[in-house]
């Protein structure tokens, strides 16, 4: 088992960033809600306490028992540092003003945590409480012009507690990565050997043990996660992995054939199932977005279930679930509301009774790509934009018909091809075209036209949770507009979506 760092989450917006930063140093870490029991096995090398929107002076603030960490090194960040200060007898008080944004760290004393860090550097602050007195025996190792205690620690007689008032995990903390690396290597003595290669070897042998002589079925979508997961499972059990790639008739132009071809080239045992007619029939007459999503999800399960029944002796279901889908978040604002019912495979029927194989369950998206590269998966699959499970159905506003799908596929193909040709594809996080239920008057040659409008959508984002519209060059947009209007029959107007998320979303439905 790989050595690991436990990150206890108190609900900070930056907790996942801490995890991603540690993984960059090839150290395995797990994010766990602060109130969950942790198993203190030998492989745990250190603990990190995250920030939090709570104040340690609030009545029911989140707490932990420091004695439970034994002799392990503990790094508290922001709220974590304040909790540490308070637990050992220091004082935390409300500051006169909330300190948010860039500040300037000045080193006060030699410290292993701050080893090799510049004497003065910018750091990122986000707090409204401040530590006014550190516990006895601790010393201050860093300060800023606003606060005397920006970094403090005790590192002797078996005690290894470190507190940082700023956020080393945030990009704007110039020396943040170095500080986290010091914690990992100089304090926790991590070997930093959790490389993609290490992960692949461990995972493949784990799958072999789990599956034995069994058979696995898995739905593939052409996306990064399901492909990387399938290649890992295939490496472990070969053709006993049965991939199913369903064409719901809502994929991009020629995508079904292209992706199926790539799968075959990778040696995967995948069956392509063309179920377009079944999906179109079910969608006929429906225009309400949530209903369309539910119909697609339900039909998908029907198709998949039928394929599974035709195979004998399947016991396992492979899935490309990744870490952000499974991290239990600490709820700060109560249960979240459903904005859209995401994710097409919204649960398989219980009668299928399959055991899950989810090899990517503990990986962040960028790590999935690193593993995919190590596995030799072609870059056109690894670097693809995300694409929604319900496909073009949620980019055709209103009722979906085969004719509309055809128009949208043609327009979308032009936009994506032009992005690729001009080298812009990799600079946007996701792009696509939306077919609007709006007809307008135009003139082509000498003739009046009355045809559809399409919207181009391109966004920049890190994880799809928030997004900004991509500032594409006007000449480029003009060229794409001309190409679409000239080449796609049925479209006479192109507009560009300049909304960010929030308040808009990336998809239109
Ligand atoms: P929104 O529209 O909510 O989308 O801003 C965020 C990201 O999720 C994708 N998306 C989906 N992916 N099934 C999926 O697998 C879905 O039902 C679904 N709906 C939206 C969307 O393309 C974007 O990347």
């Amino acid at each position: 088992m790989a050595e690991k760092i436990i990150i206890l989450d108190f609900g900070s917006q930056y907790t996942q960033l801490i995890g991603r930063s540690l993984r960059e140093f090839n150290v395995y870490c797990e994010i766990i809600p602060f109130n969950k029991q942790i198993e203190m096995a030998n492989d745990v090398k250190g603990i990190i306490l995250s920030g939090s929107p709570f104040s340690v002076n609030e009545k029911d603030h989140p707490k932990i028992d420091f004695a439970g960490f034994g002799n392990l090194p503990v790094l508290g960040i922001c709220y974590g540092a304040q909790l540490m200060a308070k637990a050992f007898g220091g004082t935390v008080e409300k500051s006169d003003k909330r300190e948010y944004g860039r500040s300037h760290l000045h080193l006060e004393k030699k410290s292993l945590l701050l080893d090799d860090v510049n004497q003065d550097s910018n750091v990122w602050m986000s707090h409204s409480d401040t530590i006014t007195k550190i516990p006895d025996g601790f010393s201050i190792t860093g300060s800023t012009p606003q606060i005397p205690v920006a970094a403090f620690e005790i590192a002797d007689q078996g005690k290894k507690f470190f507190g940082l008032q700023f956020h080393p995990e945030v990009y704007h903390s110039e020396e943040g990565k170095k500080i986290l690396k010091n914690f990992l290597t100089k304090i926790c003595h991590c070997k930093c050997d959790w490389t993609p290669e290490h992960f692949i070897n461990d995972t493949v042998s784990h799958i072999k043990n789990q599956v034995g002589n069994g058979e696995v079925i898995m739905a593939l979508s052409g996306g990064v996660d399901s492909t990387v997961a399938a290649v890992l499972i295939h490496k472990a059990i070969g053709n006993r992995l049965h991939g199913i790639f369903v064409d719901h008739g809502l994929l991009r132009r020629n995508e079904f054939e292209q992706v199926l071809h790539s799968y075959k080239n990778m040696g995967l045992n995948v069956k392509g199932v063309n179920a377009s007619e079944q999906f179109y029939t079910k969608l006929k007459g429906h225009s309400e977005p949530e209903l369309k999503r539910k119909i697609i999800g339900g039909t998908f399960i029907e198709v998949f279930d039928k394929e599974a029944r035709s195979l004998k002796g399947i016991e396992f279901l492979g899935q490309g679930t990744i870490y952000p889908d499974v991290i239990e978040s600490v709820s700060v604002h109560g249960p979240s509301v459903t904005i859209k019912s995401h994710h097409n495979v919204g649960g398989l029927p219980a009668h299928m009774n399959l055991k899950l194989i989810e090899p990517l369950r503990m990986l962040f998206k960028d790590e999935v790509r690193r593993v995919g590269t190590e596995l030799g998966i072609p870059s056109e699959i690894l670097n693809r934009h995300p694409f929604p499970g319900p496909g073009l159905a949620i980019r055709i506003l209103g009722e979906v018909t085969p004719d509309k799908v055809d128009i949208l596929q043609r327009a979308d193909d032009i936009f994506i091809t032009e992005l690729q040709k001009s080298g812009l594809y990799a600079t946007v996080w996701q792009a696509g075209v939306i077919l609007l239920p709006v007809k307008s008057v135009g003139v082509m040659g000498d003739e009046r036209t009355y045809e559809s409008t399409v919207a181009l959508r391109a966004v920049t984002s890190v994880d799809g949770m928030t997004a900004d519209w991509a500032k594409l060059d006007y000449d480029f947009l003009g060229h794409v507009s001309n190409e679409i209007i000239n080449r796609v029959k049925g479209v006479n107007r192109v507009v560009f979506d300049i909304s960010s998320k929030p308040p808009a979303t990336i998809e239109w439905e």
Side-chain angles (χ1 to χ4, degrees):
M1 186 60 209
E3 51 186 27
K4 67 180 166 201
I5 299 286
I6 300 281
I7 302 167
L8 286 184
D9 181 27
F10 292 93
S12 161
Q13 56 177 327
Y14 299 130
T15 304
Q16 285 202 28
L17 257 186
I18 305 176
R20 279 175 21 203
S21 308
L22 303 196
R23 298 274 185 99
E24 274 177 35
F25 297 116
N26 296 328
V27 171
Y28 178 69
C29 57
E30 283 177 16
I31 299 174
I32 297 178
F34 71 93
N35 48 4
K36 267 248 166 127
Q37 183 73 28
I38 27 177
E39 285 172 34
M40 284 301 176
N42 286 342
D43 48 10
V44 178
K45 296 287 169 203
I47 308 281
I48 295 185
L49 313 176
S50 84
S52 174
F54 291 96
S55 156
V56 294
N57 293 321
E58 267 168 58
K59 197 160 133 276
D60 290 321
H61 69 275
K63 293 183 203 65
I64 39 156
D65 174 17
F66 281 83
F69 301 142
N71 289 331
L72 287 176
V74 182
L75 170 64
I77 295 175
C78 195
Y79 178 87
Q82 295 167 357
L83 203 59
M84 182 184 284
K86 196 170 164 182
F88 292 103
T91 315
V92 179
E93 290 177 87
K94 188 139 210 72
S95 349
D96 311 340
K97 57 178 188 335
R98 185 177 165 80
E99 195 185 4
Y100 184 83
R102 277 199 183 77
S103 190
H104 206 72
L105 177 71
H106 178 77
L107 302 192
E108 297 290 343
K109 195 170 173 236
K110 207 167 160 40
S111 147
L112 216 46
L113 184 68
L114 305 174
D115 197 25
D116 258 352
V117 166
N118 277 339
Q119 183 56 32
D120 289 284
S121 67
N122 284 327
V123 288
W124 189 257
M125 291 286 187
S126 171
H127 62 119
S128 50
D129 284 349
T130 192
I131 299 166
T132 47
K133 180 179 159 297
I134 55 166
D136 290 344
F138 280 67
S139 46
I140 296 176
T141 51
S143 63
T144 72
Q146 291 77 25
I147 53 165
V149 187
F152 66 102
E153 66 183 48
I154 182 165
D156 57 9
Q157 293 161 13
K159 294 202 188 78
K160 287 178 220 146
F161 293 103
F162 302 82
L164 298 174
Q165 181 58 73
F166 57 91
H167 287 272
E169 70 278 22
V170 172
Y171 169 76
H172 307 286
S173 290
E174 290 165 348
E175 297 278 81
K177 289 272 157 78
K178 204 183 277 170
I179 296 172
L180 290 173
K181 190 172 180 197
N182 283 342
F183 181 69
L184 297 175
T185 58
K186 297 183 178 164
I187 295 168
C188 300
H189 305 294
C190 292
K191 292 202 283 286
C192 301
D193 59 357
W194 199 65
T195 55
E197 193 192 350
H198 185 152
F199 170 82
I200 293 167
N201 292 337
D202 271 6
T203 308
V204 167
S205 72
H206 182 76
I207 298 171
K208 277 187 181 153
N209 282 336
Q210 199 184 351
V211 176
N213 292 323
E215 311 265 328
V216 181
I217 190 169
M218 179 168 182
L220 295 178
S221 68
V224 182
D225 303 340
S226 64
T227 306
V228 175
V231 172
L232 276 169
I233 302 174
H234 183 262
K235 213 170 152 64
I237 61 161
N239 284 352
R240 283 182 289 127
L241 168 68
H242 305 267
I244 307 289
F245 180 35
V246 177
D247 184 359
H248 50 19
L250 304 160
L251 296 170
R252 296 195 136 117
R253 189 167 150 88
N254 298 331
E255 191 169 29
F256 185 61
E257 296 74 18
Q258 281 165 5
V259 170
L260 208 50
H261 184 71
S262 311
Y263 285 152
K264 298 260 145 93
N265 277 347
M266 281 183 250
L268 294 176
N269 169 23
V270 180
K271 178 174 177 191
V273 180
N274 185 340
S276 313
E277 287 309 320
Q278 197 173 334
F279 280 86
Y280 291 155
T281 309
K282 290 263 172 88
L283 284 166
K284 196 160 185 241
H286 298 292
S287 53
E288 206 277 311
E290 274 303 288
L291 184 60
K292 281 163 62 180
R293 281 172 176 273
K294 298 241 156 70
I295 291 172
I296 293 166
T299 312
F300 184 86
I301 288 169
E302 272 175 40
V303 173
F304 189 72
D305 193 24
K306 184 164 165 242
E307 292 302 322
R309 281 164 192 271
S310 73
L311 295 162
K312 294 276 165 301
I314 302 280
E315 274 174 78
F316 298 91
L317 174 72
Q319 275 192 336
T321 318
I322 65 170
Y323 202 31
D325 304 331
V326 296
I327 296 178
E328 282 181 67
S329 51
V330 172
S331 169
V332 179
H333 307 290
S336 56
V337 283
T338 304
I339 312 267
K340 295 174 190 177
S341 56
H342 266 208
H343 301 298
N344 39 330
V345 189
L348 292 166
H351 70 77
M352 286 180 82
N353 206 9
L354 299 172
K355 285 173 249 162
L356 282 182
I357 309 268
E358 298 179 306
L360 310 178
R361 227 183 128 73
M362 299 312 278
L363 297 195
F364 290 107
K365 190 87 181 183
D366 47 329
E367 294 174 308
V368 175
R369 291 208 169 94
R370 276 170 70 197
V371 167
T373 308
E374 181 75 27
L375 288 167
I377 296 174
S379 89
E380 67 265 20
I381 291 212
L382 288 183
N383 297 314
R384 273 169 136 205
H385 290 170
F387 187 68
L392 300 181
I394 57 171
R395 296 184 180 166
I396 293 171
L397 305 198
E399 187 186 357
V400 176
T401 64
D403 287 350
K404 289 187 197 169
V405 172
D406 184 59
I407 291 179
L408 182 54
Q409 281 180 334
R410 288 171 194 278
D412 177 79
D413 186 44
I414 291 173
F415 187 30
I416 298 297
T417 308
E418 292 299 329
L419 281 167
Q420 283 163 338
K421 277 207 258 177
S422 59
L424 290 169
Y425 183 82
T427 69
V428 299
W429 192 78
Q430 186 171 11
V433 179
I434 326 291
L435 180 62
L436 307 186
V438 173
K439 289 203 168 185
S440 70
V441 174
V443 51
M444 262 197 184
D446 290 334
E447 278 185 40
R448 174 188 188 274
T449 59
Y450 187 60
E451 292 177 334
S452 295
T453 308
V454 296
L456 308 181
R457 181 73 164 139
V459 296
T460 54
S461 176
V462 177
D463 51 14
M465 303 291 281
T466 60
D468 196 6
W469 59 279
K471 314 292 181 296
L472 296 179
D473 179 75
Y474 286 170
D475 288 338
F476 171 78
L477 288 171
H479 174 66
V480 172
S481 167
N482 278 342
E483 288 289 300
I484 292 179
I485 295 173
N486 287 333
R487 287 169 43 198
V488 183
K489 203 158 171 291
V491 176
N492 68 354
R493 196 174 293 270
V494 175
V495 298
F496 184 46
D497 181 353
I498 53 167
S499 343
S500 296
K501 171 184 179 177
T505 51
I506 299 175
E507 306 293 346
W508 281 43
E509 280 194 346

